[in-house]
Amino acid sequence: MMIMTTTPTIEGKKIVEYKGVLFGEVVSGINFIKDFAAGGRNIFCGRSESYENELMAARDNALRELEQRAVMAGANAVVGIDIDYEVLGSDNGMIMVTASGTAVVVE
């Protein structure tokens, strides 16, 4: 099982090899129906479940991609994970989620 953490170390584990900094990136389009539904929801409730679900899915996919790249690099853990969000496109209709971290071997 891959250990993935935002901390620079893993309690009870010793880092014995560094495999390098890796990234998992996901670019996701926000569609018209979600935009329309989010507009109404933001007026009445202050939150948009459709956007929140889109962000959660994009974040999970970026972390999964980071994990896959760590496995391919021969790591069994990723430390120092950071997640960044960017809005892209001429109409801000896309979101990019980037997960980065240091792939390591621990024992």
Side-chain angles (χ1 to χ4, degrees):
M1 179 177 155
M2 177 74 59
I3 299 171
M4 299 182 67
T5 180
T6 59
T7 61
T9 61
I10 300 168
E11 187 174 340
K13 302 283 185 182
K14 179 182 177 184
I15 295 175
V16 295
E17 187 177 354
Y18 289 86
K19 297 292 188 174
V21 176
L22 300 177
F23 297 87
E25 301 96 359
V26 172
V27 177
S28 179
I30 307 295
N31 70 33
F32 166 75
I33 294 170
K34 286 184 181 174
D35 286 346
F36 183 75
R41 185 139 176 118
N42 284 337
I43 291 170
F44 298 111
C45 301
R47 292 179 66 168
S48 170
E49 187 175 333
S50 60
Y51 278 135
E52 289 173 359
N53 289 337
E54 188 73 32
L55 281 172
M56 286 188 298
R59 183 188 62 232
D60 290 346
N61 288 334
L63 285 168
R64 198 168 17 258
E65 185 175 307
L66 175 62
E67 180 178 8
Q68 289 170 353
R69 289 183 177 168
V71 167
M72 290 187 333
N76 64 355
V78 181
V79 296
I81 293 175
D82 182 54
I83 299 174
D84 292 310
Y85 301 88
E86 292 288 331
V87 178
L88 304 173
S90 59
D91 62 349
N92 293 331
M94 302 177 86
I95 185 163
M96 179 175 70
V97 179
T98 304
S100 61
T102 302
V104 297
V105 175
V106 296
E107 49 181 43

